Amino acid sequence: MLLEQFSTQPAAWKESLNRYVGHILVPSAQELYDNLDWEREARTLCNVELVYPPYYLVPHHGVATGYLSNWQAFGWELIEHIFGIQRVRPALISIAQATHPQRIVDLGCGTALTSIRLAQRMPDTELILLDLSPYQLVAAQRQVQCFGLQQRTQLRHACAEETGFVDGYADLVMASLLFHELPRSTARAVIQEAQRILTPGGHFLIFDAIQQVVPWPSVDQMINKLLAFFMHEIYWNEYMSEPIWISCARQGFIHIKRKILFAPPWIYQVVLAAKD
Ligand SMILES: C[S@@+](CC[C@H](N)C(=O)[O-])C[C@H]1O[C@@H](n2cnc3c(N)ncnc32)[C@H](O)[C@@H]1O
């Protein structure tokens, strides 16, 4: 119900604008999602019992409906270009692949381009894509079909902090560009949930914007305030205030490693943590 209240049905002008912009800026996304009935598909994937947490029901990235419309999924490819994500993806996939997973859970999967490519490289793995936005899941589903991974992929409309999976369900839990979108308390709850659903010896792989970019806190805060404002990132400052590797250590993760990935002018970090 909340979904219906929050997401507006796309008006005709919005559809036309979407198509027009899509043709120019993201031609491959336009082709991929052409003829997709987003509203119908979103209803199919939607878990009607799910109650959206209030922090999620806010305008985000300059989009009034936040993630509860197809706008962000549609434009994601363009975002990936602008922020150099494609340039760091191969390194991220190699790190994930080296953990030799059998069952991967991708929390806040979005269009799932990283985990899908990882699963494509590992023909024996099972992939579970989880997101709070049914629209993001619609896009992920289309990508899964494109890569021919339907047989070993499941889609789940749920919160990353309350996945509903049993203890020890997966041996690799991923969260790509999720943590900077979460309030601090939710970020901690997601780390706790990842710890719970991992098998002993399993890995938690977190990819996101670099934290503690400069060693002077006041300069760091100033840079972050500017970025949060320009990118309309609601929880950016909360994310920046608590290094993820420290949160993982507090939660009992061991062998925590951090690697910096450069895609100038952007800098990312990968944190890999193991469950004892
Ligand atoms: C910036 S996108 C990143 C998508 C994808 N992981 C990637 O790297 O391309 C963040 C995604 O996290 C999802 N999300 C945000 N909060 C969430 C939560 N608490 N539980 C599950 N998904 C969440 C959003 O709906 C969105 O799809």
Side-chain angles (χ1 to χ4, degrees), residues 160 205 276:
L205 181 73
D276 205 356

Side-chain angles (χ1 to χ4, degrees), residues 72 78 135 209 238:
Q72 305 226 29
L78 180 65
Y135 296 91
E238 288 190 56

Side-chain angles (χ1 to χ4, degrees), residues 55-56 67 76 108-110 131-132 136 160-161 176-178 181:
Y55 70 80
Y56 191 72
Y67 277 107
W76 185 250
C109 65
D131 203 285
L132 255 181
Q136 298 285 91
E161 59 273 37
S176 163
L177 301 169
L178 169 68
E181 311 250 325

Side-chain angles (χ1 to χ4, degrees), residues 169-203:
Y169 180 72
D171 50 3
L172 178 64
V173 174
M174 297 176 56
S176 163
L177 301 169
L178 169 68
F179 274 91
H180 74 270
E181 311 250 325
L182 303 175
R184 196 181 301 123
S185 57
T186 309
R188 289 178 187 160
V190 171
I191 295 172
Q192 198 174 1
E193 181 70 348
Q195 167 83 250
R196 187 188 70 75
I197 66 172
L198 273 169
T199 50
H203 289 90

Side-chain angles (χ1 to χ4, degrees), residues 18-38 70-81 86 111 113 117 136 138-140 142-143 146:
N18 220 350
R19 279 180 169 268
Y20 182 70
V21 174
H23 271 302
I24 297 169
L25 294 178
V26 271
S28 49
Q30 179 66 39
E31 204 176 300
L32 183 71
Y33 301 131
D34 210 19
N35 302 322
L36 192 57
D37 185 339
W38 290 86
N70 68 353
W71 280 68
Q72 305 226 29
F74 189 85
W76 185 250
E77 205 178 316
L78 180 65
I79 300 293
E80 286 210 344
H81 273 292
Q86 288 142 331
T111 55
L113 292 175
R117 283 189 171 85
Q136 298 285 91
V138 170
R142 184 48 70 97
Q143 296 284 358
C146 247

